[in-house]
Amino acid sequence: MKAVANEDMVRNALGHEYDEMAEPPNADVPRDHPLWAGMDKALREVYDPEIPVNIYELGLIYKIEIKENEGRGADIDVKMTLTSPHCPVAQEMPGMIQNALFPVEGVDNVDVEIIWEPAWEPSMMAETAKLQLNMFT
């Protein structure tokens, strides 16, 4: 897939509405948790090598749970999917997510599970991702 606009172009066009439009509609994530800001930033740095949009805005992250542990960091459970079961980075993607989240202060353990239900579809993307890829659903 080829981007028709980069993130800076979309950010300039949307202005103050960018942050709201950069949220995928179906992501079940703990936005109110103190760790979320760092995790959100880290996830937005992970890209599928074939698609020039980060995996969070693509809607590949379905659910994140944070379990606090007394005396040590939190355990993070990530449920995510891929755009296709034939994705060439299917084996590497869990490690890419772990490598992004481990450095976040307060994170102790990260478990990433690839799931296939519901199947990913373009309507799961954030509006910003659709704009970057010129895909409208």
Side-chain angles (χ1 to χ4, degrees):
M1 245 180 253
K2 182 179 178 186
V4 295
N6 66 29
E7 182 180 332
D8 290 334
M9 292 170 68
V10 174
R11 190 176 289 280
N12 287 336
L14 296 176
H16 69 278
E17 295 178 11
Y18 180 87
D19 290 337
E20 182 179 321
M21 294 182 74
E23 287 295 321
N26 301 321
D28 182 5
V29 296
R31 290 180 181 91
D32 295 332
H33 195 283
L35 289 177
W36 177 245
M39 293 171 56
D40 180 40
K41 184 177 179 182
L43 289 170
R44 290 177 191 267
E45 296 296 321
V46 179
Y47 288 79
D48 179 320
E50 295 184 335
I51 304 172
V53 174
N54 70 67
I55 55 116
Y56 184 71
E57 289 180 51
L58 273 175
L60 299 182
I61 302 295
Y62 284 175
K63 185 173 187 168
I64 294 180
E65 293 180 338
I66 300 174
K67 180 184 174 194
E68 297 289 343
N69 296 306
E70 284 190 40
R72 60 186 184 107
D75 291 339
I76 311 301
D77 183 47
V78 179
K79 304 273 192 266
M80 68 171 296
T81 196
L82 302 170
T83 56
S84 163
H86 306 292
C87 178
V89 294
Q91 299 298 318
E92 291 89 25
M93 189 61 73
M96 293 166 67
I97 301 301
Q98 288 174 323
N99 289 339
L101 293 177
F102 275 134
V104 175
E105 187 173 343
V107 170
D108 183 50
N109 186 47
V110 179
D111 182 47
V112 179
E113 181 182 357
I114 305 278
I115 59 175
W116 301 107
E117 293 294 328
W120 181 87
E121 58 183 53
S123 68
M124 295 175 170
M125 291 190 290
E127 293 300 315
T128 51
K130 293 175 189 176
L131 288 170
Q132 289 179 56
L133 297 172
N134 199 28
M135 295 177 70
F136 300 96
T137 57

